[in-house]
């Protein structure tokens, strides 16, 4: 009997399909029934590579072998998932398998994963496409009843492959060309660039440059207090003849740039009577549109501080694992026009907490055709994120927050507009005008879904609550001017990007667009797609082009150098968000069959050639840029030190220092500290020739040149030098021998662990797994046996951040202790001190090295492992 092979993207989805269709028996890594064989990938199984005959064996980091534009690409199995690829290839080639069903996620990535597998297997068996917007059992069965043909998604397949190949071409050629340029004068300076990530970085750098160049200006405002029969009210002076001048973004009708004029108006109006005129008019405000992924990420970042990546992970779990939300990787904010019945079914099935709102919507008949909500022209392959109607069970706190956000947005969009009465009152005192505004909520409309919170806030900051009921002024009543205050204020620089505002800027290709419907119209020309934007931001952080400080995203010195280089070489394709947004728009056209794959790839190949040629033809080793003059003098002669593209150089003598050391670039404040104090650190993020990350202090040597100081002088063994701790305050008693513990280079050490009479071996790193351990925390560890919860550890294996306490073990060693997790069904076993809960040994790191990564949470008990370094 012939069978169809179903290939899902992940094992969990394969299990859902097996449950929904029924009749399957479980083999080792696949399921089988009378009609189907069912298995899955585990994400990407193959990656693009240059065919062996075209790849350069030596000299890939020189201009001699650039650009790299192979006539075709090859596929290389990803080593860690090779077994799964072999399984799928074997299943594809089974004689009884006569066709394939692509059940990977409904988007570009899912299309790419499946097609790479099919290409690798060299199969010509016919392919059908399962297209799921929801992961409920009914939706899965419905999807199988309406499978799409391969031809229907051919545009999506072409766009997926083009996106992968274009990212490869621009990434490889750009990175090799910029690295070759930066390495011309010696050393190896890896300089990574990307088709989407670098223009995104340019947005952040441009904003930071505006902040640095910003010069604050003093201005004054006048605030008056007026008295009337019914009470008092406040008013602000404004210039009735004000017109916005071009080039002065800070000018408003309320601001005075001359203090003397402000004081003169105060003197002129103080104590004088005023006459009142006012205008009152109704105003309405519609609810925000349904969520797409980017707007959900913005909202979750603004409300809860969730990163874009975390929001996507939660939304994916709510879709895939809990089945309570529809497909999240969407750029649509509308629903299909034939979805009215589905929406009514979903409303009836929502949890009890939302029942009053769902009942009101049903009672009033508010689910009806409405192009703002149901609009086929506003959706492509996916529609807006809404609840599925499946009642959620066992959601984490973060999952509940995202579910609640989506569900309330879903309900609110069917409610009528919120209605306000907006009153504008003008009080004239001796020909000077003062404005007072009041905004009163008359009918909450959709705000009822949010309660008091909704009145104060909504996604776009327009909220609705602002202002208040004004005290009444009788017709022709004269009011008294009881007080006038001159307020002295200063203009502020533009705000730094956070993830919410950067996502908006990416969506609008660098243009900050506040109006959500206009922003939606521009979205096809944005940077990246909703599904990739979080990954792009995380990639910039991982490459240390951007630092995340609180909610702010701050570009590093490395970021400024890269953008300076690209602008100096006039490589506009990698610095222009608008231009790169155009490439994304063309990929969207390709998905709809409006642009051919060869045409797009010709343009990308030409872009890669241009990037290489501009770097290759540039004659100088340095490039012009907006560089700083250090406030700290030359350590050798006291002269002025200026920054250039590659160095910090004295203008009076021959002293200079490279800006990049061991793959890490000095920040301006770090080099200032080094020159002023002779040392700086510990600094994180250096990379050895073998590619290993390490941390170190930097000090000036006898020749006033920077060099590494690992804090490990010859302080033990034969010929050891005595260490003088007399100028330091001890942090606490050694947990092994009770002697005092002091700072020593990159570590906290027992005074008995160094010097010729060494008798103890206690030493703990100042940086463990990229988490700085401050003096205060080490003091707590020595005194109380544990630090506060530290949230910046980074696993060396998975590269993911994790949180842990540092604890003092019974043997005096420092280890990790993890927060207790809720027990899972069937969980057994207990954690032991000094080991992870699963019983595996955790070898302590040596001084100057990082400890092993934290294991995944498996047990409910508090878990510990070694973190000593």
């Amino acid at each position: 009997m012939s069978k169809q092979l179903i290939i899902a993207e992940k094992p969990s989805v394969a299990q859902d399909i097996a449950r929904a269709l029924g009749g399957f028996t479980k083999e080792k890594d696949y399921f089988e029934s009378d009609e189907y064989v069912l298995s899955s990938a585990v994400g990407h199984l193959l990656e693009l590579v240059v065919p062996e005959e075209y790849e350069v064996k030596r000299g890939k980091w020189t201009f001699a072998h650039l650009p790299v534009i192979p006539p075709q690409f090859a596929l290389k199995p990803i080593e860690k998932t090779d077994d799964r690829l072999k399984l799928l290839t074997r299943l594809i080639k089974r004689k009884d398998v006569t066709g394939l069903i692509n059940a990977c996620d409904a988007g570009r990535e899912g299309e790419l994963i499946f097609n790479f597998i099919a290409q690798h297997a060299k199969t010509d068996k016919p392919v059908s496409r399962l297209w799921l917007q929801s992961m409920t059992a009914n939706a899965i069965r419905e999807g199988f009843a309406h499978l799409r043909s391969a031809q229907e998604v051919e545009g999506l397949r072409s766009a997926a492959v083009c996106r992968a190949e274009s990212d490869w071409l621009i990434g490889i050629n750009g990175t090799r060309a910029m690295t070759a340029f930066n390495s011309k004068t010696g050393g190896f300076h890896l300089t990574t660039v990307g088709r989407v990530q670098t223009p995104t970085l340019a947005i952040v750098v441009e904003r930071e440059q505006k902040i640095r160049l910003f010069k604050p200006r003093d201005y004054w405002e006048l605030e008056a207090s007026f008295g009337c029969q019914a009470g008092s009210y406040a008013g602000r002076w404004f210039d009735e003849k004000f017109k916005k001048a071009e080039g002065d973004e800070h000018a408003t009708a309320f601001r005075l740039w001359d203090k003397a004029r402000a004081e003169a108006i105060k003197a002129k109006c103080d104590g004088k009577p005023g006459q009142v005129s006012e205008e009152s008019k109704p105003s309405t405000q519609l609810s925000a549109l349904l969520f797409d992924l980017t707007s959900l990420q913005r909202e979750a970042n603004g409300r809860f501080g969730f990163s874009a990546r975390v929001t996507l992970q939660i939304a994916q779990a709510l879709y895939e694992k809990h089945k309570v939300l529809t497909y999240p990787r969407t750029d649509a904010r509308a629903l299909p026009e034939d979805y009215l019945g589905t929406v009514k079914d979903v409303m009836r099935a929502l949890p009890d907490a939302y029942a009053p709102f769902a009942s009101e919507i049903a009672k009033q008949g508010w689910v009806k055709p409405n192009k703002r909500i149901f609009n086929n022209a506003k959706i492509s392959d996916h529609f807006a994120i809404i609840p599925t109607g499946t009642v959620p069970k066992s959601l984490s706190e973060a999952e509940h927050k995202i579910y609640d956000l989506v569900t309330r947005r879903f309900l609110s969009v069917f409610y009528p507009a919120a209605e306000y009465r907006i009153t504008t009152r003008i009080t004239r005192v001796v020909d000077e005008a003062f404005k007072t505004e009041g905004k009163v909520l008359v009918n909450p409309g959709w705000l009822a879904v949010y309660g008091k919170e909704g009145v104060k806030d909504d996604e776009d900051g327009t909220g609705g609550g602002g202002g208040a009921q004004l005290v009444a002024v009788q017709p022709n009543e004269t009011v008294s001017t009881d007080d006038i205050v001159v307020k002295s204020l200063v203009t502020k620089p533009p705000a730094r990007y956070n993830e919410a505002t950067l996502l908006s800027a990416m969506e609008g290709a660098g243009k900050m667009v506040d109006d959500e419907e206009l922003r939606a119209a521009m979205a096809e020309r944005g940077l990246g797609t909703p599904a990739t934007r979080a990954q792009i931001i995380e990639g910039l952080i991982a490459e240390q082009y951007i630092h995340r400080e609180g909610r702010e995203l701050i570009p590093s010195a490395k970021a400024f150098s890269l953008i300076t280089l690209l602008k100096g070489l006039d490589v506009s394709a990698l610095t222009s968000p608008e231009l790169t947004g155009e490439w994304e728009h063309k990929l969207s056209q390709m998905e709809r069959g409006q642009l051919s794959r060869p045409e797009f790839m010709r343009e990308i190949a030409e872009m890669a050639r241009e990037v290489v040629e501009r770097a290759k033809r540039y004659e100088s080793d340095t490039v012009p840029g907006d560089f700083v003059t250090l406030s700290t003098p030359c350590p050798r002669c006291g002269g002025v030190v200026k920054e250039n593209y590659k160095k910090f150089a004295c203008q009076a003598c021959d002293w200079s220092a490279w800006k990049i050391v061991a793959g890490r670039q000095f920040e301006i404040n770090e080099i200032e500290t080094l020159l002023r104090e002779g040392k700086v650190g510990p600094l994180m993020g250096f990379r050895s020739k073998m590619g290993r990350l390490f941390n170190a202090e930097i000090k000036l040597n006898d020749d006033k040149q920077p060099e590494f100081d690992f804090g490990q002088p010859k302080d033990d063994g034969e010929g050891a030098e005595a260490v003088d701790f007399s100028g330091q305050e001890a942090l606490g008693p050694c947990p092994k021998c009770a002697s005092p513990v002091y700072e020593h280079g990159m570590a906290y050490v027992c005074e008995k662990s160094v010097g010729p009479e060494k008798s103890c071996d206690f030493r703990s790193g100042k940086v463990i797994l990229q988490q700085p351990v401050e003096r205060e925390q080490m003091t707590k560890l020595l005194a109380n046996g544990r630090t506060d919860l530290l949230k910046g550890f980074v696993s060396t294996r998975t590269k993911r951040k994790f949180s842990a306490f540092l604890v003092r073990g019974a043997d005096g060693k420092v280890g990790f202790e993890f927060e207790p997790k809720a027990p899972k069904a069937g969980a057994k076993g207990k954690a032991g001190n000094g080991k992870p809960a699963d019983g595996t040994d955790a070898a302590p790191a040596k001084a100057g090295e990082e400890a092993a990564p934290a294991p995944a949470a498996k047990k409910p008990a508090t878990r510990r492992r070694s973190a000593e370094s």
Side-chain angles (χ1 to χ4, degrees):
M1 180 188 286
S2 66
K3 298 186 180 186
Q4 298 285 302
L5 171 63
I6 305 166
I7 299 179
E9 190 164 319
K10 306 178 193 73
S12 61
V13 178
Q15 289 172 351
D16 290 335
I17 291 172
R19 278 194 292 266
L21 298 184
F24 284 91
T25 57
K26 178 83 164 67
E27 304 298 331
K28 185 181 178 186
D29 285 312
Y30 65 95
F31 301 86
E32 190 156 359
S33 72
D34 292 341
E35 293 181 66
Y36 301 111
V37 180
L38 166 62
S39 190
S40 74
V42 279
H44 284 276
L45 303 184
L46 294 134
E47 58 189 351
L48 288 174
V49 292
V50 174
E52 198 169 326
E53 61 269 29
Y54 296 106
E55 179 57 297
V56 177
K57 298 294 185 287
R58 295 174 62 86
K60 67 171 63 174
W61 300 105
T62 66
F63 286 117
H65 300 287
L66 291 175
V68 183
I69 304 176
Q72 75 271 347
F73 285 91
L75 292 173
K76 173 187 170 187
I78 296 170
E79 190 176 341
K80 67 179 180 181
T81 55
D82 194 38
D83 287 346
R84 181 56 62 113
L85 179 62
K86 287 176 179 173
L87 166 71
L88 292 175
T89 304
R90 192 169 70 249
L91 295 176
I92 289 170
K93 292 184 175 181
R94 269 176 49 165
K95 285 191 169 63
D96 61 340
V97 169
T98 58
L100 311 180
I101 297 175
N102 176 2
C104 293
D105 282 2
R108 275 189 208 161
E109 287 305 299
E111 205 63 23
L112 193 68
I113 288 167
F114 176 86
N115 277 280
F116 277 1
I117 294 168
Q119 182 182 334
H120 174 77
K122 297 182 173 63
T123 182
D124 57 0
K125 294 178 181 179
V127 175
S128 299
R129 183 59 155 110
L130 175 68
W131 199 260
L132 296 179
Q133 301 281 12
S134 167
M135 286 299 295
T136 62
N138 282 339
I140 292 170
R141 287 191 286 269
E142 183 72 13
F144 273 93
H146 299 91
L147 291 173
R148 299 184 180 187
S149 69
Q151 192 57 40
E152 285 181 77
V153 292
E154 177 58 29
L156 183 66
R157 188 196 71 81
S158 294
V161 176
C162 281
R163 197 273 302 154
E165 291 181 356
S166 64
D167 283 353
W168 192 98
L169 283 172
I170 300 305
I172 290 293
N173 285 286
T175 296
R176 290 184 183 180
M178 297 311 131
T179 300
F181 182 90
N182 279 338
S183 305
K184 276 200 294 188
T185 52
F188 175 73
H189 302 297
L190 180 64
T191 309
T192 57
V193 300
R195 181 181 65 88
V196 178
Q197 82 165 31
T198 305
T200 300
L201 182 63
I203 293 174
V204 182
V205 168
E206 182 184 4
R207 173 64 59 86
E208 192 69 18
Q209 284 173 324
K210 286 182 178 178
I211 293 169
R212 291 184 181 184
L213 295 172
F214 181 79
K215 291 183 171 53
R217 293 165 64 192
D218 293 328
Y219 70 93
W220 291 265
E221 288 186 359
L222 291 157
E223 190 169 287
S225 178
F226 298 106
C228 60
Q229 293 175 22
S232 63
Y233 64 91
R236 273 202 303 169
W237 177 90
F238 74 107
D239 181 358
E240 291 183 281
K241 298 175 183 175
F242 174 80
K243 287 184 181 177
K244 190 76 176 174
E246 278 194 35
D248 191 352
E249 60 182 317
H250 295 286
T252 74
F254 298 100
R255 293 180 176 180
L256 289 157
W257 302 105
D258 181 359
K259 184 180 181 182
R261 188 182 169 206
E263 295 286 2
I265 293 172
K266 169 180 164 66
K268 175 181 174 183
C269 298
D270 240 343
K272 301 293 193 302
Q275 300 300 317
V276 174
S277 63
E278 66 182 31
E279 181 182 273
S280 188
K281 59 183 180 182
S283 175
T284 60
Q285 182 195 3
L286 290 167
S287 72
L289 294 171
L290 293 169
F291 282 123
D292 64 358
L293 177 59
T294 302
S295 57
L296 178 62
Q297 288 169 321
R298 282 199 310 266
E299 181 85 345
N301 182 254
R303 284 183 182 269
F304 313 126
F306 292 170
S307 71
R309 180 176 64 87
V310 165
T311 299
L312 174 55
Q313 287 173 341
I314 295 169
Q316 189 73 17
L318 291 169
Y319 159 71
E320 191 177 297
K321 176 184 173 185
H322 298 288
K323 320 289 189 295
V324 296
L325 293 186
T326 57
Y327 187 73
R329 295 168 185 254
T330 174
D331 59 358
R333 304 190 69 176
L335 298 173
E337 290 170 15
D338 62 359
Y339 232 61
L340 276 80
T342 303
V343 163
K344 290 175 182 177
D345 292 341
V346 169
M347 293 264 185
R348 284 191 287 269
L350 288 175
D352 292 345
Y354 309 102
F357 309 114
S359 299
E360 182 68 10
I361 290 168
K363 177 182 170 185
Q364 300 295 338
W366 286 335
V367 178
K368 54 192 176 186
N370 178 342
K371 287 292 187 183
R372 194 166 180 267
I373 305 170
F374 302 100
N375 191 338
N376 289 346
K378 298 283 187 178
I379 57 177
S380 50
D381 297 323
H382 311 291
F383 51 74
I385 306 169
I386 63 170
T388 61
T390 298
V391 176
K393 296 174 183 175
S394 306
L395 298 187
S396 68
E397 182 184 355
E399 287 170 338
H400 176 74
K401 284 179 175 178
I402 297 298
Y403 176 76
D404 183 68
L405 215 55
V406 172
T407 304
R408 290 189 188 276
R409 176 63 65 88
F410 169 66
L411 291 165
S412 70
V413 81
F414 295 100
Y415 266 70
E419 297 175 15
Y420 299 93
R421 186 148 211 85
I422 297 177
T423 301
T424 302
R425 177 178 295 171
I426 306 297
T427 306
R428 286 185 175 79
V429 182
V430 198
D431 298 326
E432 300 292 346
F434 294 80
K435 181 181 283 188
T436 309
E437 292 180 315
K439 185 177 183 181
V440 178
L441 184 63
V442 176
N443 182 355
W446 62 272
L447 290 170
V449 176
Y450 294 91
K452 291 181 180 178
E453 178 192 4
V455 176
K456 292 185 292 184
D457 190 21
D458 66 32
E459 175 200 351
D460 301 298
T462 49
Q469 181 75 53
L470 294 176
V471 297
V473 174
Q474 300 303 315
N476 301 318
E477 180 182 354
T478 298
V479 300
S480 60
T481 305
D482 297 336
D483 188 26
I484 298 180
V485 175
V486 176
K487 297 170 75 173
S488 180
L489 301 164
V490 178
T491 56
K492 293 180 180 177
R496 284 196 173 101
Y497 282 109
N498 54 38
E499 289 206 30
T501 54
L502 182 55
L503 286 167
S504 290
M506 292 173 75
E507 191 177 44
K511 298 182 178 73
M512 287 303 291
V513 182
D514 293 325
D515 181 84
E516 67 171 25
E517 301 204 26
L518 178 58
R519 194 165 58 220
M522 292 181 63
E524 278 195 359
R525 284 179 166 79
L527 287 172
T529 65
T532 61
R533 285 174 191 140
Q535 183 183 341
I536 290 160
I537 294 171
E538 292 297 328
L540 289 168
I541 292 169
E543 288 287 340
Q544 298 194 348
Y545 281 121
I546 289 177
H547 300 307
R548 187 188 273 127
E549 294 187 11
R551 294 193 183 186
E552 290 186 332
L553 299 175
I554 303 174
S556 65
K558 179 181 175 183
F560 275 90
S561 285
L562 175 59
I563 300 305
T564 296
L565 172 60
L566 295 172
K567 287 187 174 177
L569 300 178
D570 194 24
V571 183
S572 60
L574 284 174
T575 56
S576 168
E578 293 83 1
L579 181 59
T580 309
E582 283 294 323
W583 299 115
E584 210 67 51
H585 174 58
K586 289 178 180 179
L587 287 170
S588 296
Q589 288 181 312
M590 195 183 302
E591 288 183 17
R592 297 191 291 270
Q594 297 166 355
L595 182 72
S596 74
R597 173 165 149 66
E599 184 181 346
F600 178 82
M601 291 311 299
R602 274 196 300 273
E603 293 185 46
I604 288 291
E606 188 53 43
M607 178 180 171
R609 286 190 191 94
E610 182 187 353
V611 168
V612 170
E613 283 304 310
R614 288 188 182 277
K616 189 187 288 188
R617 288 199 309 265
Y618 198 86
E619 297 296 332
S620 174
D621 291 333
T622 188
V623 294
D626 185 18
F627 299 116
V628 303
T629 299
L630 301 188
S631 60
T632 310
C634 171
R636 192 179 289 167
C637 75
V640 173
V641 176
K642 288 188 175 182
E643 177 193 18
N644 60 41
Y645 177 64
K646 289 192 173 181
K647 291 184 174 184
F648 299 103
C650 178
Q651 306 302 294
C653 72
D654 63 354
W655 181 89
S656 67
W658 293 104
K659 288 164 70 173
I660 297 175
V661 175
R664 184 195 188 280
Q665 185 161 332
F666 282 115
E667 301 290 341
I668 296 299
N669 65 311
E670 292 170 353
I671 195 71
E672 294 266 19
T673 301
L674 177 62
L675 299 190
R676 183 175 60 251
E677 299 179 9
K679 67 176 183 177
V680 64
L683 304 179
M684 295 179 286
F686 297 106
R687 194 176 291 276
S688 71
K689 290 180 180 178
M690 300 299 291
R692 182 179 174 83
L693 283 171
F694 66 93
N695 313 311
E697 287 190 334
I698 302 286
K699 68 176 183 180
L700 292 180
N701 62 19
D702 294 341
D703 199 32
K704 303 302 181 186
Q705 287 296 317
E707 66 177 26
F708 289 117
D709 179 6
F710 294 102
Q712 292 173 285
K714 200 170 183 183
D715 54 19
D716 59 81
E718 188 178 345
E721 303 167 0
V723 179
D724 182 9
F725 292 120
S726 61
Q728 280 197 48
E729 180 182 346
L731 288 92
C734 171
K736 291 190 173 183
C737 72
S739 299
V741 171
Y742 296 98
E743 286 187 61
H744 185 48
M746 288 290 293
Y748 299 107
V749 302
C750 171
E751 71 169 354
K752 300 289 187 183
S753 69
V754 294
E757 298 179 6
K758 175 180 174 180
S759 59
C760 180
D761 64 357
F762 177 78
R763 178 189 295 264
S764 184
K766 286 184 178 178
V767 180
I768 297 174
L769 289 176
Q770 300 187 42
Q771 166 69 57
V773 182
E774 307 293 348
R775 275 185 65 96
E776 175 192 8
Q777 295 300 330
M778 181 51 63
T779 301
K780 286 184 178 182
L781 177 69
L782 297 175
N784 307 322
R786 62 193 276 145
T787 64
D788 297 333
L789 183 67
L790 305 178
K791 299 184 177 182
F793 297 106
V794 179
S795 164
T796 53
R797 180 173 58 86
T798 66
K799 309 304 180 189
R800 290 182 178 176
K801 281 192 173 184
F802 67 92
S803 301
F805 302 93
L806 290 180
V807 294
R808 186 185 65 218
D811 57 0
K813 292 183 177 180
V814 176
F816 292 120
E817 181 177 290
F818 303 92
E819 290 182 286
K821 297 281 183 181
K824 292 183 180 178
K828 295 178 182 178
K830 295 181 180 179
N833 288 344
K835 293 184 179 181
D838 59 6
T840 57
D841 289 319
K846 298 174 185 176
E849 294 183 352
E850 292 182 342
K858 291 184 180 179
K859 306 292 185 287
T862 299
R863 301 160 297 138
R864 291 190 179 191
R865 72 180 300 165
S866 172
E868 192 173 79
S869 61

